[in-house]
Amino acid sequence: MLGLNPISISREKPLSKEEVAQALRWAIMAELDAINFYKQFAEFVEDENIRKIFLDIAREEKAHVGEFMALLLHLDPEQVSELKDGFEEVEELTGIKVKLGEK
């Protein structure tokens, strides 16, 4: 997936705010892919120690999603608004209320 990103390493000028936001979205997708890979792989590993490591790494990738999301929300106020709207719609339709920061 990352090989398809159009951001060139040899650039003459810094990335624009929108290009950074786009890169953060790609990074989030990559982390989500990694989470799925590690969790799926863990299901098929017989060795419990190896399974534990894959599940631990999957948890770490979730933290990376949070880090990239925090940066994205900093750069893209529209994303903040739409994210809030999405949370509210889920609560309205299902009664499920999600508060960030609660485990």
Side-chain angles (χ1 to χ4, degrees):
M1 181 194 92
L2 293 179
L4 301 176
N5 293 348
I7 294 176
S8 172
I9 293 174
S10 59
R11 294 178 57 95
E12 293 181 18
K13 61 181 182 173
L15 296 175
S16 70
K17 185 177 175 180
E18 183 53 41
E19 288 171 321
V20 173
Q22 185 178 34
L24 289 167
R25 288 185 182 94
W26 285 325
I28 291 167
M29 289 186 326
E31 297 295 345
L32 292 172
D33 283 344
I35 292 165
N36 287 329
F37 171 78
Y38 297 137
K39 289 177 78 67
Q40 289 174 10
F41 193 80
E43 290 178 26
F44 296 105
V45 174
E46 291 182 11
D47 186 306
E48 186 61 30
N49 289 321
I50 294 173
R51 182 179 304 125
K52 285 179 187 178
I53 296 300
F54 273 95
L55 292 175
D56 181 62
I57 292 170
R59 279 188 295 277
E60 292 172 8
E61 301 301 337
K62 290 178 182 181
H64 297 164
V65 170
E67 291 169 329
F68 291 135
M69 183 61 75
L71 292 172
L72 178 60
L73 295 176
H74 171 73
L75 289 177
D76 187 350
E78 180 182 52
Q79 184 73 62
V80 173
S81 175
E82 295 302 327
L83 188 61
K84 286 180 183 178
D85 289 349
F87 276 52
E88 290 168 3
E89 189 167 338
V90 166
E91 182 178 1
E92 180 182 310
L93 295 172
T94 67
I96 297 171
K97 184 168 185 155
V98 176
K99 290 186 178 181
L100 297 178
E102 295 181 6
K103 291 186 178 185

